[in-house]
Amino acid sequence: MNPPGKKLSMFGELRKNRMAYLLALPAALYTLVFGYLTMPYMIIAFQKFNYKTGIFGSPWVGLDNFRFFFASPRAWQITWTTIKLNMLFIIVGTVCALILAILFNELRSRLFSKVTQSTILFPHFLSWVVVSYIVYSIFSTEFGIANRLLAFLDMQSINWYASPEYWTAILVGANVWKDIGISLVIYLAAITGIDGSYYEAARIDGASRWQLIRHITLPLLMPTISILSLLALGKIMYGSFDMIYAIVKDNGLLYPTTDVIDTYVFRSLRNIGNPAQAMAIGLYQAIVGFILVFGSNLLVRKINPDNALF
Amino acid sequence: MATNRLFNSLNNVFITLVSLACTLPMLLVLMVSFTDERAIQRNGYQLWPEQFSFDAYNLLLLGSTPLYQSYMISIIITVVGTAIAVLITGLAGYTLSSSHLRYRNHLAVFFFITMVFNTGIVPWYLISTGLGLRNTIWALIIPTLLFNPFNLFLVRNYMRQIPQSLTEAARIDGAGDAFIAFRIFFPLSLPVLATITLFYGISYWNNWFNAIMLVDRESLYPLQYLLFKLNSEISMIQSMQSTMDLGINAVLPSESVKMATAILTIGPIVLFYPFLQKYFIKGLLIGSVKE
């Protein structure tokens, strides 16, 4: 106990509580190595990087890596695919989860609600590799359920894994299927948290079920909706590598609608073996992502400060 | 009231359909894993097989397959990785929540910055290889040790609610920070520690990114990565068969083997699901509902 009014020096504070600070050391070391020490590596985006010479000995090439990337038409295609897919994930996912949460809230039987919630949440715990098998079992050209259904309806079978036009819908479907349970749980909790007296008062005034939802439930859910969407927006330039690479792999036929920045970066790094170029794209990804988060947060704060993230 | 009853029953029907849509695709995979290969060749995948067969499981469980090896790897990385991750997250959470530390918030900012500023996979890859982790089991554990610093803040926020009077009393009795962390804070924070155990455990079990980035040796493939490879490399299944005699006119059960592997991968998740669901929802709600 130090005397009142007298502050310990920084060294004194660290020494006095050294055990307490030491307890955080392992986590801090990890964050230092895999967080802070990764930052200097970003400069290889401006180098002709060589594994042997490292970041200090590789020659500088200015913006060549960026030029190479942006010169190819693929640059815009993968950027657009990344943003489009993520926007669809957010919009379709949110709308589906909201509808489902509102319907769940109307359920009378607690048991029924519990059991169905469990089944809807379950896919979230599967890995994308397992989900890729599920997608395959539906859309496999030879054996898949989808083609059997088409045959049953006397329609021509489709070579799904060679037809990029269907994959935006399939990926959005897979994403909603896997993760809707999570948003459902969150929205349902938010709805349950709404003060029941609002509904009672409105009911006495003769409000219909739809009016209750439209004028009470939805407005009161807005903060939760906007926070979840903003968090998702923060990852809009990151194309869920796990999902897309597990499902599509290196199937070039599907690239026009499925290739995103993350899979492209992965291929430049691992298949082509050009870390400098991969880093340049990664840097572009980080900067645009950063701008989008701050931009959209600014926008939300302008409309309603309570709904903003920061 | 009649419209009300109509609405309720329609609602029940709709929600039943949605939960069926979440279950049936998995059921399809399960059924295919039990289907005779020739029946698959004839009819494609079916929800109710024309001819049942255990060939795939026979091959996977009794043949000399990489399955057991991969199962071991997955269990090791999940158990060891989760244990280390929970320990260091819990300890750091204690430090960040201790109000008697002047620099606790500086430390929090130190952790928070890496949370919002993601440098991507390239530096991560170069550091991991630089540390010599390539093709070792640590490659599957260390580079993703703190998957998400979000867990750290979850623990800190929970520990903050533990009343200061408890620690003050212990401190007067001469207890140090390590003692207080392990003997007072950890036991009182069991719910949040259970939640992050789950978060970490699931992430490790389902992780195949580290393997695709840092591992080439088949003996180190975790289960998810084996499954990933199985789909594209039929030779892996062929090599399984050569070690096992399925009879003269046997067909290689390649389709059902793939699906059976997927089912065996899900196994532990199904087993832990009741526990998982309970603590997962708890953690989700602590973390996401704005107060």
Side-chain angles (χ1 to χ4, degrees), chain A residues 31-49:
Chain A
T31 307
L32 181 71
V33 175
F34 285 94
Y36 290 93
L37 288 187
T38 60
M39 292 175 186
Y41 279 95
M42 290 194 291
I43 61 164
I44 72 166
F46 307 97
Q47 292 179 333
K48 189 176 184 330
F49 182 75

Side-chain angles (χ1 to χ4, degrees), chain A residues 201-221:
Chain A
R203 253 188 231 111
I204 291 169
D205 289 343
S208 69
R209 202 192 288 261
W210 167 243
Q211 282 171 322
L212 296 181
I213 293 170
R214 171 76 186 74
H215 295 288
I216 300 177
T217 314
L218 283 179
L220 288 173
L221 281 181

Side-chain angles (χ1 to χ4, degrees), chain B residues 66-258:
Chain B
L67 186 81
Y68 288 108
Q69 175 72 13
S70 292
Y71 235 105
M72 273 313 289
I73 296 285
S74 278
I75 291 174
I76 291 172
I77 61 173
T78 305
V79 172
V80 175
T82 306
I84 301 177
V86 170
L87 183 68
I88 70 176
T89 310
L91 289 173
Y94 167 77
T95 308
L96 292 184
S97 72
S98 299
S99 56
H100 69 288
L101 299 176
R102 200 194 305 159
Y103 296 114
R104 66 181 185 284
N105 288 331
H106 296 78
L107 208 55
V109 172
F110 173 82
F111 286 116
F112 185 71
I113 286 175
T114 58
M115 201 164 137
V116 287
F117 196 74
N118 185 346
T119 53
I121 64 168
V122 181
W124 177 89
Y125 173 78
L126 293 175
I127 290 226
S128 303
T129 30
L131 289 173
L133 295 174
R134 268 197 81 88
N135 282 322
T136 67
I137 192 151
W138 294 107
L140 304 173
I141 296 176
I142 292 177
T144 32
L145 202 49
L146 299 178
F147 278 98
N148 189 348
F150 164 79
N151 292 335
L152 181 56
F153 289 91
L154 208 64
V155 175
R156 178 192 69 168
N157 295 347
Y158 193 91
M159 286 184 172
R160 263 184 182 166
Q161 302 163 357
I162 295 173
Q164 284 296 312
S165 53
L166 277 176
T167 49
E168 269 156 28
R171 241 175 256 285
I172 289 168
D173 289 342
D177 283 293
F179 181 89
I180 293 172
F182 279 107
R183 304 302 290 272
I184 300 178
F185 271 61
F186 282 13
L188 287 175
S189 311
L190 277 185
V192 76
L193 293 179
T195 300
I196 65 162
T197 303
L198 269 173
F199 285 162
Y200 284 129
I202 283 284
S203 310
Y204 271 114
W205 184 260
N206 282 342
N207 182 294
W208 55 284
F209 183 72
N210 291 20
I212 200 174
M213 294 297 285
L214 298 165
V215 163
D216 311 310
R217 274 173 39 202
E218 205 177 299
S219 61
L220 282 175
Y221 285 0
L223 206 47
Q224 304 289 345
Y225 191 50
L226 179 78
L227 190 63
F228 175 80
K229 284 279 193 186
L230 214 53
N231 207 3
S232 45
E233 289 170 27
I234 195 83
S235 60
M236 276 182 108
I237 301 175
Q238 277 161 349
S239 70
M240 289 181 203
Q241 191 191 25
S242 63
T243 61
M244 197 175 169
D245 191 14
L246 285 172
I248 285 175
N249 48 9
V251 196
L252 181 65
S254 57
E255 295 301 315
S256 48
V257 162
K258 288 182 199 168

